[in-house]
C-alpha cells in the first residue's frame, strides 16, 4: 500500500490502493442494498480493497458479495451511548489503514469512530450536524427520494448528477453450497416455496402465511419457513396449519436463509430483509406491501410481483411499523388465495426445468 497515493479529490485516483471502509445501514435489507455502493466503488477504484462494517447478524452476507474484501464485525448499542464501544471500533478502523470511509447513516454516532480513527477522508451527509466528525460533507440529502439514492450519492464524486439506474446488489451463491445445504437439512432435491413471515413492526406483517402454506401444500408443494429467532413462534403456527410438507427453517445463521433462498424457485415475503436477499440471490420474490410505498421498499433487482391491498385505504402509505388506527387494513385485506395464485403463476412461468438465477454461480 502506498501511503502517499491520492484519491479522486487529489487526482484521477487510478493509482490509489488504500482500502475503503463502508459504514452501511445495519438492517438486513438495507445492508443488501448497500452492495450497490460496493459495485460503484469498484468501478471507480478497482485497485482499492473495500471492507464493510457489519454486525454478527449481517456478517454472513459478506461471503456472498463480490468485491468485498472483509468485514469489521462490531456491536454498537442502539439507543444509548457507550464510549468504550466507539473507542474499540476506532482501534479496529485505525488498524485497517483506510484512506476513506463512507458513512451511510446520518447519525453522529455512526461518524464518531471513523473520526477517532483519523481516517484521512470521511464522507457523509451533514446529518446530525457532524461538523468535525466528517471532512467530506455532502448536501442535498433531502432532495434524493429513496434511501438507496442517498447512499449511492456518497459513492459518487461531488456534483455528479445521480443517474436513473444503479448497479443491482448481488449475492452470488456456489451451487455446491446449495447441494450441501440441502443434504444437511434433509429437504430433498425438489422445488419448494419459501415463506418469510417476519418484518420490523406488526403493520408490515401479513397474517395469512399459515393459510397460504396449507394451500401450497395441498397443491403438492413443499414449503420452507425462513426467519430469525424472533420468527420461531410465527413459524410454529404456520407449520401447524400447513401440515407435514411445511418445514420450519428459522434459525440464528443468516447463511442458512441465503442458501435456502438460492435453492427455492420462488419466495413470498413481507417488505423485509429476506425480500431483498431473495432478489439479490436471483430467486423471484413476491413482496406483500402494507403501510410502505413499494417505490421506497422494492429492491433494485427484478421481482416477480408486488401485492397491495385492493381495498381503498386512504391512510396508506403511512410508513409506520405499528398501525396508528389499529386496523391494519392495508395488509390484512390481502387474501391467502390471491397470494398463492400469484405464486403458482410464477412457478408455471418458470416451468419444470432447473432455474438459472442471475445470482447463482455456474
Amino acid at each position: 500500500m502506498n501511503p502517499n497515493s491520492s484519491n479522486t479529490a487529489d487526482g484521477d485516483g487510478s493509482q490509489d490502493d488504500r482500502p475503503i471502509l463502508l459504514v452501511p445501514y445495519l438492517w438486513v435489507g438495507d445492508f443488501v442494498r448497500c452492495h450497490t455502493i460496493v459495485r460503484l466503488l469498484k468501478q471507480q477504484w478497482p485497485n482499492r480493497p473495500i471492507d464493510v462494517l457489519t454486525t454478527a447478524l449481517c456478517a454472513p452476507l459478506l461471503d456472498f458479495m463480490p468485491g468485498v474484501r472483509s468485514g469489521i464485525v462490531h456491536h454498537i448499542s442502539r439507543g444509548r451511548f457507550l464510549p468504550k464501544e466507539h473507542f474499540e471500533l476506532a482501534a479496529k478502523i485505525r488498524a485497517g489503514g483506510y484512506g476513506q470511509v463512507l458513512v451511510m447513516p446520518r447519525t453522529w454516532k455512526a461518524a464518531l469512530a471513523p473520526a477517532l480513527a483519523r481516517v484521512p477522508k470521511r464522507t457523509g451527509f451533514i446529518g446530525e450536524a457532524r461538523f468535525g466528525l466528517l471532512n467530506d460533507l455532502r448536501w442535498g440529502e433531502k432532495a434524493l427520494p429513496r434511501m438507496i439514492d442517498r447512499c449511492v450519492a456518497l459513492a459518487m464524486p461531488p456534483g455528479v448528477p445521480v443517474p436513473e439506474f444503479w448497479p443491482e446488489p448481488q449475492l452470488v451463491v456456489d451451487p455446491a453450497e446449495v447441494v450441501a445445504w440441502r443434504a444437511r437439512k434433509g429437504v430433498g432435491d425438489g422445488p419448494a416455496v419459501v415463506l418469510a413471515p417476519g418484518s420490523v413492526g406488526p403493520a408490515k406483517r401479513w397474517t395469512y402465511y399459515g393459510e397460504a402454506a396449507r394451500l401450497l401444500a395441498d397443491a403438492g408443494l413443499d414449503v420452507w419457513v425462513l426467519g430469525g429467532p424472533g420468527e420461531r413462534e410465527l413459524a410454529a403456527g404456520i407449520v401447524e396449519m400447513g401440515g407435514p410438507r411445511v418445514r420450519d427453517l428459522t434459525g440464528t445463521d443468516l447463511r442458512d436463509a441465503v442458501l435456502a433462498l438460492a435453492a427455492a424457485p420462488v419466495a413470498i415475503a413481507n417488505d423485509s430483509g429476506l425480500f431483498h436477499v431473495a432478489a439479490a440471490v436471483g430467486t423471484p420474490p413476491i413482496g406483500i406491501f402494507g403501510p410502505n410505498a413499494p417505490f421506497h421498499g422494492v429492491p433494485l433487482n427484478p421481482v416477480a410481483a408486488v401485492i397491495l391491498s385492493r381495498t381503498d385505504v386512504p391512510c396508506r402509505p403511512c410508513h409506520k411499523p405499528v398501525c396508528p388506527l389499529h386496523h391494519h387494513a392495508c395488509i390484512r385485506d390481502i387474501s391467502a388465495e390471491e397470494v398463492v395464485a400469484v405464486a403458482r403463476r410464477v412457478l408455471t412461468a418458470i416451468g419444470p426445468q432447473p432455474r438459472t438465477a442471475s445470482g447463482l454461480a455456474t
Side-chain angles (χ1 to χ4, degrees):
M1 182 168 62
N2 178 9
N4 298 315
S5 59
S6 62
N7 57 27
T8 49
D10 306 312
D12 66 9
S14 60
Q15 301 305 312
D16 195 349
D17 60 2
R18 293 173 300 172
I20 300 172
L21 177 64
L22 177 62
V23 179
Y25 288 95
L26 294 172
W27 299 105
V28 171
D30 295 336
F31 194 89
V32 171
R33 287 197 239 199
C34 282
H35 187 244
T36 290
I37 292 92
V38 174
R39 296 188 65 188
L40 278 172
L41 292 173
K42 293 304 289 186
Q43 290 174 9
Q44 296 175 70
W45 294 295
N47 297 324
R48 300 185 70 174
I50 298 173
D51 293 347
V52 181
L53 178 67
T54 181
T55 59
L57 170 65
C58 292
L61 294 171
L62 296 178
D63 293 339
F64 303 102
M65 288 185 173
V68 175
R69 181 180 67 173
S70 63
I72 296 179
V73 181
H74 193 79
H75 174 74
I76 294 291
S77 300
R78 294 182 185 272
R80 57 179 178 162
F81 175 60
L82 299 177
K84 180 181 178 182
E85 295 177 348
H86 294 271
F87 279 105
E88 290 175 347
L89 176 56
K92 294 179 181 179
I93 294 173
R94 191 179 302 114
Y98 297 101
Q100 183 179 8
V101 58
L102 280 73
V103 182
M104 304 298 156
R106 63 192 314 274
T107 64
W108 65 269
K109 284 174 61 177
L112 180 57
L116 293 172
R118 298 183 180 179
V119 177
K121 186 175 182 180
R122 304 184 298 275
T123 303
F125 286 106
I126 183 64
E128 295 179 344
R130 298 185 288 184
F131 299 102
L133 296 179
L134 301 176
N135 58 13
D136 179 24
L137 286 168
R138 305 293 179 87
W139 307 84
E141 176 185 17
K142 292 183 179 179
L144 300 171
R146 299 175 300 176
M147 182 275 288
I148 186 60
D149 298 318
R150 297 166 190 168
C151 291
V152 173
L154 296 179
M156 304 293 291
V160 173
V162 176
E164 184 178 359
F165 300 105
W166 298 115
E168 297 170 1
Q170 294 177 326
L171 295 175
V172 178
V173 181
D174 185 341
E177 281 198 75
V178 175
V179 172
W181 175 86
R182 280 183 174 273
R184 190 166 63 249
K185 295 294 183 180
V187 296
D189 57 3
V193 177
V194 161
L195 304 182
S199 191
V200 177
K204 296 169 66 177
R205 295 180 195 143
W206 186 56
T207 52
Y208 305 123
Y209 278 100
E211 293 180 26
R214 177 176 50 78
L215 291 171
L216 291 165
D218 288 348
L221 293 163
D222 291 334
V223 180
W224 301 337
V225 185
L226 301 186
E231 280 74 61
R232 282 177 179 159
E233 185 176 347
L234 285 173
I238 293 168
V239 169
E240 181 179 4
M241 186 175 291
R245 298 194 74 120
V246 184
R247 290 282 304 271
D248 176 2
L249 297 181
T250 58
T252 59
D253 190 350
L254 191 53
R255 174 179 292 273
D256 281 333
V258 174
L259 295 171
L261 286 164
V266 68
I268 301 170
N270 300 321
D271 174 18
S272 66
L274 291 183
F275 183 39
H276 287 266
V277 173
V281 164
T283 294
I286 298 167
I288 303 173
F289 274 71
N292 283 8
F295 173 75
H296 294 280
V298 168
L300 293 179
N301 312 78
V303 301
V306 171
I307 300 178
L308 297 166
S309 171
R310 297 172 188 241
T311 304
D312 182 21
V313 184
C315 54
R316 184 181 65 196
C318 71
H319 301 282
K320 302 291 186 183
V322 178
C323 178
L325 302 178
H326 308 292
H327 56 56
H328 298 273
C330 64
I331 197 163
R332 291 183 180 170
D333 286 355
I334 300 170
S335 71
E337 289 79 8
E338 178 183 359
V339 172
V340 169
V342 173
R344 296 188 69 174
R345 286 199 296 270
V346 173
L347 288 167
T348 299
I350 293 170
Q353 298 301 313
R355 178 176 57 88
T356 302
S358 60
L360 200 60
T362 56

